[in-house]
Amino acid sequence: MRRKRVIGNWKMNGGLAANRRLLDELLPQLAALQGVEVAVCPPFPYLAQVAALLEGSGVALGAQDLYTVEKGAFTGEVGGGMLRELGCRFVLVGHSERRSLFGECDEVVAEKFAMALRAGLVPVLCVGETLAQRRQGQTEQVVSAQLQAVLRRSGIQGLAAGVIAYEPVWAIGSGETASPEQAQAVHRHIRALLGEFDRACAAATPLLYGGSVKADNASALFAQLDIDGGLIGGASLEAASFLAICQAASPRQEQERAQP
Ligand code: 13P
């Protein structure tokens, strides 16, 4: 059985004092939680601080991006090896904000995914359609193309060494969540696509949902067959809401849902 995971993407938020406050409140409560893998992805300048604060907590560290090559004359960019050295286990690649605001195409995302694997990081590949694409019935086609680019570059074994996060662009930061059924339908499609290459890889790859996940909708989303947890933006910036989402992913909650 796949373990549930919850990853907080802080985006461009936080500060030295705010990070400490958030983790001081969050970590003791998370320590009591069993059976959920939790990670947080602060902005680059705070990775070292957050790495130190997370030490011994069992909560993993992730970064929000990396460059396609390891090092060199690339002003402003960050290499995967640097992230590893700072204690990162995960790195987000192809977040829709990177794709739409910074022009990252599927091929660049695939290159970053491959670089993350080479650096010994677990890439969290974000895929998802815009509202216009959904309205035109192109959701599966868009998500498939985003996955195919990574499959061409890293193969099914490479893709399965990462995590996939389905984040419909229209649900990000909008307060409008995909319904559990809408999200499950895309997750099932992703798993079926992976299954065309390798059934075992398809069954083992963690598929997270992201897009306005909150304390009050997390349980219904996480109860879906192919949803293995969440990638959380806004609600990961506050201890109470992030904790509630992590609790919704815990196996005990799942049992309670199965036997009300
Ligand atoms: P929100 O949870 O704020 O909608 O953001 C989702 C997201 O983009 C996580 O990567």
Side-chain angles (χ1 to χ4, degrees):
M1 213 182 107
R2 296 179 298 271
R3 250 161 95 90
K4 286 278 196 283
R5 287 159 201 259
V6 179
I7 302 179
N9 173 11
W10 293 1
K11 307 193 179 185
M12 201 173 77
N13 293 292
L16 291 172
N19 302 342
R20 177 175 287 280
R21 254 196 323 274
L22 174 62
L23 294 173
D24 277 355
E25 196 179 334
L26 186 63
L27 295 179
Q29 306 193 70
L30 277 181
L33 201 64
Q34 301 287 317
V36 188
E37 282 186 32
V38 179
V40 292
C41 303
F44 291 137
Y46 302 125
L47 285 171
Q49 179 211 15
V50 172
L53 291 169
L54 293 181
E55 219 172 295
S57 71
V59 174
L61 183 67
Q64 298 175 17
D65 191 22
L66 81 172
Y67 194 47
T68 50
V69 298
E70 185 53 57
K71 63 175 170 178
F74 304 104
T75 302
E77 294 297 334
V78 172
M82 300 173 186
L83 301 176
R84 277 287 296 167
E85 194 178 16
L86 282 174
C88 287
R89 171 142 182 264
F90 297 98
V91 62
L92 309 184
V93 294
H95 190 281
S96 73
E97 287 147 18
R98 302 292 323 163
R99 293 177 188 264
S100 67
L101 302 174
F102 302 97
E104 289 187 14
C105 62
D106 289 347
E107 284 64 36
V108 165
V109 173
E111 209 49 52
K112 289 188 170 189
F113 188 99
M115 183 66 238
L117 289 180
R118 283 204 303 282
L121 294 157
V122 178
V124 180
L125 172 68
C126 304
V127 297
E129 81 288 2
T130 63
L131 187 55
Q133 289 165 334
R134 172 163 283 263
R135 286 192 173 139
Q136 286 162 20
Q138 294 173 347
T139 298
E140 293 191 354
Q141 191 186 324
V142 168
V143 168
S144 294
Q146 291 169 335
L147 292 167
Q148 294 282 4
V150 174
L151 283 162
R152 276 195 301 276
R153 180 67 182 78
S154 295
I156 183 66
Q157 302 289 341
L159 181 54
V163 173
I164 297 170
Y166 168 58
E167 297 205 307
V169 178
W170 49 273
I172 294 176
S174 64
E176 192 178 333
T177 324
S179 69
E181 295 73 27
Q182 282 174 319
Q184 165 58 22
V186 181
H187 281 236
R188 186 176 46 232
H189 169 73
I190 295 172
R191 214 177 289 287
L193 189 148
L194 267 52
E196 290 171 20
F197 293 83
D198 186 306
R199 299 257 303 266
C201 284
T205 305
L207 306 185
L208 310 186
Y209 170 79
S212 296
V213 178
K214 307 286 176 212
D216 60 2
N217 60 24
S219 290
L221 287 160
F222 298 165
Q224 300 298 309
L225 191 64
D226 290 298
I227 299 184
D228 305 318
L231 180 55
I232 318 300
S236 71
L237 298 173
E238 205 217 315
S241 52
F242 192 58
L243 179 70
I245 292 167
C246 294
Q247 283 167 340
S250 98
R252 179 164 321 148
Q253 278 254 338
E254 297 227 298
Q255 271 170 21
E256 283 165 12
R257 271 198 301 270
Q259 308 157 353

